[in-house]
Amino acid sequence: MKPLLIFTGALHPEKAVFERFMHDFDEPCFVIAADSGLLCAREFGYIPDLIVGDMDSLTDKSLLSAYPEDKIRIFERDKAESDTVLALEKAFAKRPELEARGSELLSRNSGLSAQTRKNVPASVQLHGSGSAAEGTGGHNMPIILCGGDGGRIDHLLGIVKQFERAFFPDIWLCREQAVYSLRPASDGKGAILKFAAERCAEHMSVFPVPVKDGEYKIYSEGLEWPLDNLDWKNEAFSLSNRVRADYLAHKKRVVLRAEKGAFIAIVPY
């Protein structure tokens, strides 16, 4: 699966952690750097296809000269949205075009072996660091946001708030944890997240995301405190949950399955 990858400013995972997480993904089909996220992109060895933002936090603006002008979109500092949100909007706008190209490529190469076709997006799955999510938004190309943790609390809360809006990341890579968006696909297919038991040996958390109809349903397998019967509609959440001892001992995967509403699951790397 080929993700759309966004780099933004503030704290991000260490490079080794990021590389381990991204190991199960194919190379990104499109890379966006938001303002000082350009520094992280360069550190991690990525050449952005698009650079957006007001560049107020990019201290060395001469770095922009290394990229074609048509790849750079500079905005006024006084604007309605943050640079991260601008990048998310650009990613959402670009994804249908990239998915269409991927489907065409898949059709042309349908007779090739699985090994030859491994770089063709062919299923609605997300893979990363021993985890897989199926049915997230019904898209073949997940949007992964790297960075934006720590720093200004208003910017941090602004990213959290994006999960309630039209433009949100499928996965948000923070300094110490990954945040997964879990919501059923447009065809009603549930969103499934699977991850290795050792990732939540100490803790993991699940929060509901406000939705219009207010209906929530999520099931869990392998957690010490099951999610099935929590009163999500009345502001319940699962904080510092963890894997059951038997799942950890037998290295069984923890499974979350969201059938109604929307959730974010926060899981250590």
Side-chain angles (χ1 to χ4, degrees):
M1 174 157 294
K2 290 178 173 289
L4 284 82
L5 183 57
I6 299 172
F7 291 98
T8 193
L11 298 181
H12 52 73
E14 293 182 357
K15 184 177 181 180
V17 173
F18 174 85
E19 290 176 344
R20 185 170 69 249
F21 188 94
M22 297 295 292
H23 178 74
D24 292 332
F25 288 93
D26 292 315
E27 286 295 312
C29 59
F30 201 78
V31 177
I32 303 175
D35 203 319
S36 61
L38 178 62
L39 301 177
C40 182
R42 290 168 64 92
E43 177 187 348
F44 288 2
Y46 287 87
I47 300 174
D49 298 289
L50 182 65
I51 301 170
V52 300
D54 55 25
M55 308 305 161
D56 65 339
S57 57
L58 184 65
T59 54
D60 184 3
K61 294 177 176 54
S62 67
L63 294 175
L64 294 172
S65 64
Y67 304 93
E69 290 186 4
D70 63 351
K71 302 291 187 183
I72 302 172
R73 303 285 188 274
I74 297 180
F75 293 78
E76 295 292 334
R77 184 174 184 181
D78 296 331
K79 56 189 186 302
E81 302 288 5
S82 70
D83 296 328
T84 301
V85 174
L86 291 174
L88 285 167
E89 291 178 349
K90 295 294 185 183
F92 265 76
K94 190 70 176 179
R95 181 155 62 178
E97 173 193 337
L98 295 171
E99 286 183 325
R101 290 182 188 175
S103 297
E104 180 182 355
L105 180 62
L106 179 62
S107 176
R108 289 204 309 264
N109 295 285
S110 58
L112 300 178
S113 67
Q115 178 63 27
T116 304
R117 290 186 287 113
K118 70 177 182 178
N119 288 326
V120 179
S123 63
V124 186
Q125 293 185 334
L126 308 180
H127 299 279
S129 191
S131 65
E134 181 177 343
T136 306
H139 290 287
N140 293 331
M141 296 179 177
I143 294 174
I144 299 178
L145 173 64
C146 179
D149 194 5
R152 285 179 53 177
I153 189 66
D154 51 347
H155 280 204
L156 177 66
L157 292 176
I159 297 176
V160 174
K161 195 69 176 176
Q162 278 304 120
F163 289 98
E164 303 176 23
R165 303 177 70 190
F167 307 108
F168 58 88
D170 295 298
I171 305 175
W172 176 20
L173 303 181
C174 300
R175 182 67 174 178
E176 304 289 344
Q177 299 162 302
V179 181
Y180 298 87
S181 174
L182 277 172
R183 61 183 71 202
S186 56
D187 61 3
K189 184 179 181 181
I192 300 174
L193 174 67
K194 301 178 182 179
F195 51 90
E198 55 266 25
R199 288 186 61 188
C200 59
E202 298 296 330
H203 60 85
M204 65 86 60
S205 300
V206 177
F207 294 85
V209 174
V211 293
K212 289 183 179 180
D213 60 15
E215 294 297 323
Y216 297 91
K217 194 64 180 178
I218 187 170
Y219 299 94
S220 62
E221 300 173 18
L223 291 180
E224 186 69 32
W225 296 282
L227 306 177
D228 307 25
N229 297 314
L230 288 180
D231 190 4
W232 303 102
K233 192 172 183 178
N234 289 309
E235 302 182 349
F237 54 88
S238 179
L239 181 69
S240 295
N241 210 325
R242 63 175 182 267
V243 67
R244 281 172 23 192
D246 58 323
Y247 269 64
L248 187 59
H250 294 93
K251 296 185 178 181
K252 297 177 66 176
R253 288 183 173 236
V254 173
V255 180
L256 307 182
R257 185 174 77 254
E259 295 191 351
K260 291 183 180 179
F263 302 85
I264 55 173
I266 304 173
V267 187
Y269 296 117

